């Protein structure tokens, strides 16, 4: 495993993280801009990167914007909007070929910084605000993306389960925002919220490639025109598990197959020493093809078209997803709850332990082959305040015992059952 560490520092508003390496033929650049999930800002924040990618001060037309990327030997540029815990994260990415592999008159790393810095801090404007045509077009684009979630019933059921489970918490919000908020957003109001977002968010810049921390720091100072205040840090919230009756929600839509989702709460988060135990717990429960949910609900009983589980270590939430025939609802709920009970009583085989550890180990070690995966993993440190290198997490997983998983299982409590069924079904 590559033991090279990220070098960390800051300049002005930005925290900077650089991994100097000659292993890759490209520079991988990621800029994370994170802000607390809030009903007041979630939609405008989600819309912002869609508008920013339309044009900058130097390349105000979208065609010019794309041509500039082509001039940088086809540099890749993209963004994602997602949530981690109770934060909404906008991630910009650039993938640029290393200067040593092309004959370029300009430094491609410097040019990429100039481009990304301008995208984020010097957008194309008209009359002192965003271009109205861009804002209107991207509002429609975001609306279609949000509507597409309803059409994808697997995603829809997963979102609705979390929405019901966290109805009093910011986590209920979808990172793309709410359709009902789009109509009121104008180019003036969006520009105003963009300026506030940029001034108050936590900003982390990552670079992996054949460079140095000092070079990246100079490029940031040259090309990122932000105020000089100190970086804003993420606050990690320790989840509290309320003892309450399990909420059951049944929703009817035009679906041919029922979607059964369950939400569980745990006190274990990424920053906890027991995090590795929770990872193994989720893997045995439903994370992989050898897991209890897959084998017992899908294979043995033939009750589900799919059955799996996920664990969000930044929020302290586990989720179970399955697709079933509507008439099998009661039976499926019983068998899934039986699997949860097996985990709680420590009915875990050595084979389940060894297979799960092997799967987690392979996934962690594969990160070493991708610059962006390495960046994504290190960003967990910023979000949680916990410094846990990959090799340390691999070792922690290796050391987990059945008793450790049993202890982790005791913290996972079923909170919500959500069932999406056909309108004609009873």
């Amino acid at each position: 495993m590559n033991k090279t560490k990220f070098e960390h520092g800051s300049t002005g508003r930005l925290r900077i993280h650089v991994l100097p390496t000659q292993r890759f033929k490209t520079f991988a650049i990621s800029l994370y801009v994170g802000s607390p999930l809030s009903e007041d800002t979630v939609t405008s924040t989600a819309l912002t990167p869609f508008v920013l990618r339309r044009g900058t001060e130097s390349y105000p037309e979208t065609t010019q914007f794309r041509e500039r990327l082509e001039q940088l030997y086809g540099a890749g540029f993209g963004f994602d909007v997602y949530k981690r815990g109770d934060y909404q994260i906008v991630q910009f990415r650039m993938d640029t070929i290393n200067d040593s592999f092309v004959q370029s008159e300009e430094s491609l790393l410097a040019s990429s910084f100039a481009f990304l810095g301008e995208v984020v801090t010097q957008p194309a404007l008209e009359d002192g605000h965003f271009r109205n045509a861009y804002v209107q077009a991207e509002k429609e684009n975001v609306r279609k993306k949000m509507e597409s979630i309803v059409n994808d019933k697997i995603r829809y059921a997963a979102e609705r389960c979390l929405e019901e489970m966290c109805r009093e918490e910011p986590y209920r919000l979808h990172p793309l925002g709410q359709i009902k908020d789009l109509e009121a957003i104008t180019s003036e109001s969006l520009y105003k919220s963009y300026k506030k977002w940029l001034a108050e968010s936590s900003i982390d810049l990552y670079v992996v490639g054949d460079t140095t921390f000092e070079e990246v720091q100079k490029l940031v100072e040259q090309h990122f025109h932000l105020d000089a205040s100190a970086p804003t840090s993420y606050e990690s919230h320790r989840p509290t598990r309320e003892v309450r009756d399990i909420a059951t929600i049944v929703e009817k839509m035009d679906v041919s197959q029922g979607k059964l989702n369950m939400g569980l709460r745990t006190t274990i988060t990424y920053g906890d020493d027991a995090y590795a135990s929770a990872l193994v717990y989720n893997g045995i429960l439903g994370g992989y093809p050898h897991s209890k949910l897959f084998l017992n609900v899908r294979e043995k009983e033939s009750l589900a078209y799919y059955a799996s589980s996920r664990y969000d270590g930044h929020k302290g939430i586990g989720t179970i997803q399955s697709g079933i025939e509507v008439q099998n609802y009661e039976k499926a709920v019983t068998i899934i709850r039986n699997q949860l009970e097996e985990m709680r009583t420590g009915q875990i085989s050595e084979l389940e332990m060894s297979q799960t550890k092997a799967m987690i180990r392979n996934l962690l070690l594969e990160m070493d082959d991708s610059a962006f995966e390495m960046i994504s993993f290190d960003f967990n440190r910023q979000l949680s305040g916990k410094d846990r290198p990959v090799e340390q997490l691999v070792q922690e997983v290796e050391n987990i015992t059945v008793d450790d998983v049993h202890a982790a299982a005791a913290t996972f409590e079923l909170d919500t059952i959500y069932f999406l069924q056909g309108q004609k079904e009873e």
Side-chain angles (χ1 to χ4, degrees):
M1 176 181 286
N2 177 36
K3 294 293 197 300
T4 310
K5 305 285 188 190
F6 279 93
E7 297 175 18
H8 306 283
S10 64
T11 181
R13 286 290 319 291
L14 274 83
R15 282 186 294 268
I16 302 172
H17 318 275
V18 182
L19 180 60
T21 177
Q22 296 180 336
R23 292 178 54 220
F24 303 105
K25 293 183 178 180
T26 58
F27 294 108
I29 306 168
S30 267
L31 183 76
Y32 293 91
V33 187
S35 52
L37 275 166
S38 163
E39 189 148 14
D40 296 334
T41 59
V42 64
T43 309
S44 58
T45 297
L47 179 59
T48 295
F50 286 89
V51 174
L52 295 180
R53 61 99 183 258
R54 292 299 297 268
T56 70
E57 195 176 278
S58 302
Y59 314 102
E61 302 298 331
T62 305
T63 50
Q64 295 172 320
F65 185 93
R66 290 171 181 163
E67 283 167 2
R68 180 57 183 149
L69 289 169
E70 284 304 314
Q71 290 165 5
L72 297 176
Y73 290 85
F77 170 82
F79 69 89
D80 285 312
V81 186
Y82 49 87
K83 62 184 175 186
R84 288 289 180 272
D86 287 332
Y87 282 91
Q88 183 180 17
I89 311 290
V90 178
Q91 178 191 5
F92 298 92
R93 296 181 314 279
M94 283 197 76
D95 195 18
T96 308
I97 196 162
N98 190 319
D99 297 297
S100 60
F101 292 98
V102 293
Q103 291 182 320
S104 174
E105 295 178 4
E106 56 185 336
S107 160
L108 293 179
L109 182 61
S111 298
S112 296
F113 266 82
F115 183 83
L116 182 59
E118 192 169 319
V119 168
V120 177
T121 66
Q122 294 171 279
L125 303 178
E126 63 183 12
D127 302 325
H129 53 72
F130 284 131
R131 286 189 165 193
N132 188 55
Y134 290 169
V135 172
Q136 295 308 318
E138 294 306 327
K139 277 167 65 173
E140 192 56 31
N141 191 13
V142 171
R143 183 194 310 279
K144 287 176 179 174
K145 285 183 179 294
M146 289 156 76
E147 287 172 347
S148 72
I149 295 169
V150 180
N151 298 327
D152 181 346
K153 295 301 186 286
I154 294 176
R155 278 179 71 197
Y156 175 79
E159 290 295 336
R160 285 286 296 121
C161 182
L162 289 175
E163 202 176 307
E164 291 289 344
M165 181 177 174
C166 303
R167 55 189 174 276
E168 304 297 329
E169 303 165 66
Y171 195 77
R172 74 186 184 281
L173 298 166
H174 191 279
L176 280 179
Q178 305 176 106
I179 290 178
K180 68 180 178 65
D181 295 338
L182 283 171
E183 192 63 41
I185 294 176
T186 65
S187 48
E188 292 89 349
S189 72
L190 186 64
Y191 185 65
K192 188 177 178 182
S193 64
Y194 150 77
K195 297 291 282 186
K196 191 171 189 289
W197 169 73
L198 209 54
E200 297 177 359
S201 295
S202 299
I203 308 178
D204 289 89
L205 180 83
Y206 279 86
V207 182
V208 173
D210 190 8
T211 182
T212 64
F213 183 89
E214 291 71 27
E215 182 182 19
V216 169
Q217 192 170 32
K218 284 178 186 172
L219 292 171
V220 168
E221 289 166 356
Q222 285 176 334
H223 299 296
F224 282 81
H225 302 288
L226 297 164
D227 65 63
S229 58
T232 306
S233 296
Y234 292 96
E235 294 180 17
S236 52
H237 301 282
R238 186 159 187 84
T240 53
R241 198 180 60 203
E242 296 177 20
V243 178
R244 68 174 197 181
D245 293 336
I246 296 166
T248 301
I249 296 97
V250 177
E251 188 173 347
K252 295 183 179 183
M253 291 182 78
D254 185 15
V255 293
S256 56
Q257 178 196 104
K259 306 287 183 274
L260 174 59
N261 288 56
M262 297 184 183
L264 303 98
R265 291 188 185 270
T266 175
T267 52
I268 301 173
T269 60
Y270 188 89
D272 284 301
D273 291 339
Y275 174 69
S277 302
L279 273 187
V280 177
Y281 167 88
N282 178 66
I284 293 172
L285 176 64
Y288 303 107
H290 67 264
S291 65
K292 289 183 182 293
L293 289 175
F294 190 89
L295 291 180
N296 291 293
V297 184
R298 186 179 184 274
E299 297 293 298
K300 288 182 184 174
E301 297 291 338
S302 299
L303 282 179
Y305 301 97
Y306 61 90
S308 64
S309 68
R310 295 192 187 106
Y311 165 56
D312 181 344
H314 291 293
K315 178 63 178 172
I317 277 180
T319 53
I320 292 169
Q321 305 74 225
S322 64
I324 63 172
E325 294 296 339
V326 173
Q327 64 269 23
N328 291 332
Y329 169 77
E330 295 290 350
K331 193 174 181 183
V333 168
T334 299
I335 293 177
I336 290 172
R337 295 188 72 166
N338 286 345
Q339 308 316 305
L340 293 172
E341 189 57 29
E342 281 193 15
M343 298 295 291
R344 289 180 72 86
T345 54
Q347 295 179 54
I348 299 163
S349 71
E350 282 304 321
L351 182 61
E352 286 173 321
M353 289 288 289
S354 62
Q355 285 180 319
T356 300
K357 287 182 180 183
M359 295 294 280
I360 295 172
R361 181 175 64 246
N362 289 343
L363 283 171
L364 289 171
L365 295 179
E366 282 171 8
M367 288 181 189
D368 205 39
D369 298 326
S370 165
F372 284 108
E373 289 287 344
M374 293 159 77
I375 288 171
S376 179
F377 183 85
D378 191 83
F379 183 57
N380 288 327
R381 189 176 64 87
Q382 300 307 314
L383 286 168
S384 66
K386 176 75 172 181
D387 187 7
R388 185 191 284 113
V390 172
E391 55 268 22
Q392 180 183 329
L393 183 53
V394 169
Q395 192 56 55
E396 286 178 6
V397 168
E398 287 294 328
N399 294 340
I400 295 300
T401 65
V402 170
D403 285 344
D404 294 328
V405 181
H406 183 201
T411 73
F412 280 83
E413 291 280 356
L414 183 58
D415 180 284
T416 301
I417 298 173
Y418 171 86
F419 186 48
L420 180 63
Q421 68 175 48
Q423 289 170 326
K424 298 176 184 177
E425 312 280 0
E426 289 301 333

